[in-house]
Amino acid sequence: MLAFAEYLSHLDADSHLLAAAAARGLEPMVPGCPGWTVRDLVVHAARVQRHKVEIVANGIVDVSPAHPELPEGTDPIEWFRRGADRLYRVLASADPAAPAKTFAVEQTVGFWIRRMAHETLIHRIDAEQAQGYESPIDPALALDGIAELLEVFVTRIAPWGEFRPAEDTVAVAAADRTWVLQLGRVVGTRRDREYDLPAAVFAPGEPTTVVSGDPDRVLLWMWGRATISAVDVDGRREIADALRAACAV
């Protein structure tokens, strides 16, 4: 993990970059979010940020509040900018160790400081890609983003699901870090709906396939913001595709 001050600095910088990209035009489609325009992206990002402000500012630890809606007649970019500024100030003044409602095992303000830095980074990239460019990502943030995606999302098995391992293991390698994962599927029933989804868990041993590259390229590929050509695959392409499918879930 990075220092909380570093996450906050990236959150602030990427919020400004997202708004600057959106100011180029709200109509372009967002490659990383099929069906969304830049306007949809900005409204989504603003709603998510304001939702976290309410949780942290009000010390919510039980039932998560509803996401706010864009007020009629409000400029979405200005609404995002005001919300992003408020989020930064609320998180910067909060105790990272304070309890806060999250969707993960960790229930602290610090979880949201890290999560919102990465959420804003990926949506900044979305806004820029929609406009035909992409500004650099700090390598340390990208490396932490790979760890966060694997820890918080990919390997988090829902309590209603059973992980059924496959034979294949895959490693993700970037800079000086390597993560090895056992591929498989999560099977279970939730709210009368049956699920059978690609998944992965951390595992020891030697992988059958290794996906590697610069931290920013690996991160964007895992989040579906770059194609497989952005990374190196040593082994079977279908195993890399299976990992990407688990990331998408």
Side-chain angles (χ1 to χ4, degrees):
M1 289 182 61
L2 306 181
F4 289 117
E6 293 178 276
Y7 290 127
L8 290 166
S9 177
H10 286 299
L11 170 63
D12 184 49
D14 284 322
S15 293
H16 283 89
L17 289 172
L18 193 163
R24 296 187 177 208
L26 293 171
E27 296 77 22
M29 303 303 294
V30 179
C33 302
W36 278 14
T37 63
V38 172
R39 184 185 190 280
D40 296 326
L41 175 74
V42 170
V43 171
H44 164 79
R47 294 180 70 217
V48 170
Q49 289 194 338
R50 288 167 182 267
H51 176 256
K52 305 313 174 284
V53 165
E54 185 168 353
I55 289 174
V56 175
N58 296 324
I60 294 175
V61 296
D62 43 23
V63 180
S64 183
H67 287 67
E69 299 294 341
L70 174 69
E72 186 175 352
T74 301
D75 174 30
I77 298 177
E78 286 306 311
W79 196 56
F80 169 80
R81 282 176 170 146
R82 293 195 301 270
D85 179 66
R86 172 70 172 149
L87 176 68
Y88 174 82
R89 288 186 284 110
V90 166
L91 292 180
S93 63
D95 178 3
K101 177 66 176 177
T102 78
F103 58 81
V105 173
E106 182 183 352
Q107 299 280 306
T108 67
V109 170
F111 173 89
W112 286 126
I113 294 174
R114 186 189 193 196
R115 174 85 285 277
M116 292 312 299
H118 290 300
E119 171 92 3
T120 306
L121 165 65
I122 295 301
H123 286 325
R124 180 264 282 184
I125 292 293
D126 284 332
E128 292 179 341
Q129 289 181 344
Q131 308 293 359
Y133 71 100
E134 187 182 300
S135 53
I137 300 174
D138 179 82
L141 182 66
L143 196 63
D144 184 72
I146 297 169
E148 197 242 11
L149 173 56
L150 292 174
E151 295 163 3
V152 175
F153 294 99
V154 176
T155 60
R156 182 170 65 98
I157 305 302
W160 48 263
E162 174 192 353
F163 179 72
R164 297 182 180 176
E167 294 182 0
D168 297 297
T169 56
V170 59
V172 177
D176 60 348
R177 296 199 62 183
T178 300
W179 300 263
V180 179
L181 301 114
Q182 176 81 50
L183 296 172
R185 302 190 72 81
V186 166
V187 178
T189 302
R190 181 173 183 260
R191 297 176 182 173
D192 298 324
R193 180 178 175 183
E194 294 185 358
Y195 290 88
D196 184 352
L197 302 169
V201 297
F202 291 120
E206 291 296 320
T208 56
T209 295
V210 178
V211 178
S212 62
D214 293 334
D216 61 330
R217 297 303 98 190
V218 174
L219 176 68
L220 294 186
W221 171 74
M222 292 175 70
W223 273 112
R225 271 63 177 185
T227 65
I228 190 71
S229 63
V231 297
D232 296 318
V233 179
D234 182 7
R236 294 159 53 198
R237 164 69 184 272
E238 61 266 30
I239 300 305
D241 291 340
L243 172 60
R244 170 68 195 107
C247 293
V249 170

